[in-house]
Amino acid sequence: MRDVAVVGVGITKFGELWKDSFRDIFVEASLKAIENSGVDHIDSMYIGTMSSGLFVGQEHVGAVMADYLGVAPIPATRVESACASGGAAFRSAFFEVASGHSDIVLAGGVEKMTDGADVTEALATAADQEYEVYHGITFPGLYAMIARSYMHDYKTTREQLAAVAVKNHKNGSMNPNAQFRSPITLEQVMKSTMVANPLRLLDCSPVSDGGAAVILASLDVAKKLKRPFIKIKASSQSSDTIALHSRESLTSLKCVSVAAEKVFKQAKLKPKDISFAEVHDCFTIAEVVVTEDLGFFEKGKGGEAAEKGMTAIDGKIPINTSGGLKSKGHPVGATGIAQIIECYEQLTGQSGERQVKKAKYGLAQNMGGSGASCIIHILEAV
Amino acid sequence: MISPRYHRDIPQRYRLEGGKCTKCSYIAFPPRLVCPKCKSKSFEPYHLSREGKILTFTIIKVGPDKFSKETPYVVAIIELNDGARLTTQVADCDVERVALGAKVKLVFRKIQDEGKSGLHCYGYKAILL
Ligand SMILES: [Zn+2]
């Protein structure tokens, strides 16, 4: 396996993009990434999208996007791993370049969620259709059940969960591509509409359209382009039971701790070496649990850490400097790629007022379902 | 949900039929071909216990279209007395009485309708004891 670099990135605005179609959004992000990298061609591409079939009635996404990006006849494959589809597309592209099979590969992600589909039902397909969804559970409901168990076991308060949303909106207010650029208060979170008790509307990531793309290349190619690039230090993936009720624990996500152990071992690094992390905060409780399972905080201390500002941009370990899924938006398939883009911008010093000082290693953690899949990458500044 | 799919799940939904690993006693619900604990492929038929307790729960206020007329409703993860776990609604309850550890039993109920002219779909729900 040879070293692989991320040599360029492109992202659309996240939000309700009524004027833009599924394919437009992907093509816009991809053209920006190609332009940003300076490459004159791509050898192949991978596209992460969770549920284009339910959201816009379109499958065979690889072919659609290669056609409309004007890159056919190159190989183009859609990759799906629920909310971790973007991370899975990135990992596929990484392997293709690392193996030496290709020199320049595009990894993108896209979701078009506002074209009229029943979003709650479409998202629920990431859970066990026969033994969870049949009984009326929703995604906020699954994470609400984790939250209730967790708050009971660790005496975490509602305010501590709300602190995650407040922090992520503050970060998102500084991100020009974020869906919500408005800071929110603790009180607003605590009084927002109940969605699935104990989780309220402002604990939940929004419904979003959006696309993101990055260009991966061999180190030789990266050096010749003479533009800012970062290195992919390590990549890991794990799976767990599809149904939440079958898990050993309802208060920690084994998929995260398993993938974390592998990725840190591969990178020969420890959690304390990481400068900042983008984590999968589909709900506030997810960020709390994930930051513990990644090893940044002791079990049960994640809520307190958020409340005390330890995860703020100037904190001990900045989490979701982009605004996270919560404020930046969560066009499901695009999310994993958008996390890589935040890492790229931070590690190349292009994050403006969100810039983390002396950023050396960034970690991106992308998760599928209620924690049945997890994909982690560690990226390194050069 | 198309009819063959619904029909196929009747033993689990109506009668709580699972499988028990003959090597390590793991209870599989629904039945599986491979034991996730010991990898054995040998199971004997097993009927789940009908009583248990609430491990965690939520009150759904915003549901999918299919369930939107029923909100708010309670969904819980139940641990049955034999150790098997499942996700189900807690029916006929005073929401205030639903609590972690509360004792429940599983009963036969209608779960959902398949559109306006499709099947009525049945299965288990929990009620508080
Ligand atoms: Zn077994």
Side-chain angles (χ1 to χ4, degrees):
Chain A
M1 298 266 280
R2 58 179 177 169
D3 281 343
V4 180
V6 177
V7 298
V9 304
I11 192 165
T12 67
K13 173 117 181 81
F14 282 8
E16 296 181 1
L17 312 178
W18 293 326
K19 280 186 185 160
D20 304 318
S21 70
F22 178 58
R23 60 188 79 174
D24 290 341
I25 293 170
F26 179 80
V27 170
E28 181 192 329
S30 299
L31 287 176
K32 282 180 176 169
I34 292 168
E35 162 77 26
N36 179 251
S37 68
V39 297
D40 60 0
H41 75 284
I42 52 174
D43 296 323
S44 77
M45 64 181 197
Y46 293 90
I47 301 124
T49 188
M50 180 206 160
S51 199
S52 55
L54 290 176
F55 286 126
V56 294
Q58 180 70 62
E59 309 289 13
H60 206 179
V61 176
V64 174
M65 299 312 185
D67 182 4
Y68 274 75
L69 184 58
V71 295
I74 67 162
T77 309
R78 177 253 186 100
V79 178
E80 189 274 319
S81 191
C83 324
S85 298
F90 184 76
R91 192 167 143 87
S92 304
F94 166 65
F95 286 142
E96 185 165 328
V97 178
S99 71
H101 184 82
S102 294
D103 284 332
I104 306 171
V105 177
L106 183 148
V110 60
E111 213 73 59
K112 178 74 195 174
M113 302 172 74
T114 64
D115 266 359
D118 180 347
V119 173
T120 306
E121 188 180 270
L123 291 176
T125 59
D128 186 327
Q129 203 53 230
E130 320 285 0
Y131 290 92
E132 291 182 310
V133 181
Y134 180 78
H135 296 279
I137 196 65
T138 59
F139 253 92
L142 287 166
Y143 278 93
M145 292 202 289
I146 294 174
R148 188 177 303 277
S149 258
Y150 181 93
M151 290 164 80
H152 174 264
D153 286 7
Y154 297 110
K155 309 297 169 222
T156 294
T157 64
R158 255 303 339 185
E159 286 81 358
Q160 288 171 335
L161 292 189
V164 171
V166 173
K167 184 260 300 171
N168 287 351
H169 270 255
K170 187 181 174 195
N171 293 350
S173 73
M174 297 181 275
N175 182 347
N177 293 313
Q179 182 164 1
F180 298 127
R181 302 201 56 199
S182 46
I184 53 171
T185 64
L186 202 71
E187 202 188 4
Q188 281 175 304
V189 184
M190 303 288 289
K191 285 187 173 165
S192 60
T193 311
M194 192 65 86
V195 174
N197 191 304
L199 297 183
R200 294 175 179 272
L201 187 64
L202 290 178
D203 287 298
C204 309
S205 54
V207 170
S208 325
D209 303 327
V214 298
I215 308 292
L216 294 86
S218 65
L219 225 44
D220 289 346
V221 171
K223 284 172 185 160
K224 281 183 199 143
L225 290 167
K226 302 199 186 310
R227 297 201 185 182
F229 68 89
I230 61 171
K231 259 169 53 175
I232 302 166
K233 182 83 177 164
S235 170
S236 77
Q237 182 172 352
S238 66
S239 58
D240 199 354
T241 66
I242 186 75
L244 177 63
H245 61 240
S246 307
R247 310 260 169 86
E248 284 165 28
S249 166
L250 296 173
T251 57
S252 82
L253 295 161
K254 194 176 169 191
C255 70
V256 180
S257 48
V258 168
E261 197 186 327
K262 283 199 284 190
V263 87
F264 283 121
K265 194 175 169 197
Q266 203 182 109
K268 299 191 178 69
L269 293 171
K270 295 206 156 60
K272 67 171 173 47
D273 300 318
I274 301 297
S275 319
F276 65 93
E278 286 288 298
V279 310
H280 200 94
D281 61 322
C282 45
F283 301 94
T284 49
I285 181 67
E287 178 168 318
V288 169
V289 174
V290 167
T291 51
E292 294 168 358
D293 291 336
L294 285 171
F296 295 135
F297 304 110
E298 233 177 273
K299 200 69 215 156
K301 301 284 186 198
E304 194 187 322
E307 192 175 40
K308 286 185 172 163
M310 292 163 85
T311 55
I313 289 178
D314 59 357
K316 178 186 157 215
I317 170 78
I319 303 289
N320 286 328
T321 55
S322 67
L325 285 55
K326 175 69 204 77
S327 156
K328 183 181 55 196
H330 184 27
V332 185
T335 284
I337 301 292
Q339 292 179 325
I340 301 289
I341 294 179
E342 181 68 9
C343 292
Y344 174 88
E345 290 180 348
Q346 288 285 359
L347 294 170
T348 54
Q350 302 182 60
S351 293
E353 35 177 355
R354 305 195 313 282
Q355 187 64 47
V356 172
K357 292 198 183 85
K358 293 182 193 155
K360 172 75 177 151
Y361 295 109
L363 180 146
Q365 179 266 339
N366 193 196
M367 191 156 66
S370 61
S373 301
C374 181
I375 297 172
I376 306 180
H377 287 95
I378 295 178
L379 295 309
E380 181 183 10
V382 290
Chain B
M1 193 160 293
I2 53 165
S3 310
R5 184 178 187 181
Y6 183 72
H7 188 262
R8 207 158 53 228
D9 288 336
I10 283 178
Q12 283 72 52
R13 300 238 164 94
Y14 290 22
R15 300 189 294 271
L16 293 165
E17 288 180 18
K20 192 177 210 171
C21 175
T22 56
K23 265 193 181 165
C24 78
S25 300
Y26 171 84
I27 299 168
F29 182 78
R32 296 173 179 241
L33 296 176
V34 183
C35 174
K37 296 290 169 205
C38 75
K39 315 301 169 200
S40 149
K41 296 186 187 71
S42 163
F43 286 89
E44 59 193 26
Y46 178 80
H47 280 80
L48 297 190
S49 164
R50 287 186 171 267
E51 292 191 10
K53 63 175 185 199
I54 293 177
L55 285 187
T56 185
F57 69 96
T58 181
I59 306 159
I60 305 282
K61 301 278 174 123
V62 180
D65 291 353
K66 215 180 270 176
F67 289 91
S68 60
K69 285 200 187 108
E70 292 173 46
T71 56
Y73 56 91
V74 179
V75 180
I77 293 180
I78 309 291
E79 184 168 83
L80 299 169
N81 290 342
D82 54 19
R85 289 179 180 189
L86 47 77
T87 298
T88 187
Q89 286 189 33
V90 183
D92 310 341
C93 62
D94 174 0
V95 171
E96 299 299 312
R97 277 191 59 222
V98 181
L100 302 188
K103 298 263 191 280
V104 296
K105 78 170 180 188
L106 297 178
V107 294
F108 184 73
R109 287 293 162 89
K110 191 174 96 172
I111 308 294
Q112 53 170 276
D113 285 327
E114 185 195 60
K116 282 196 178 115
S117 51
L119 294 174
H120 296 309
C121 301
Y122 295 88
Y124 44 84
K125 284 189 184 179
I127 55 169
L128 294 172
L129 282 176

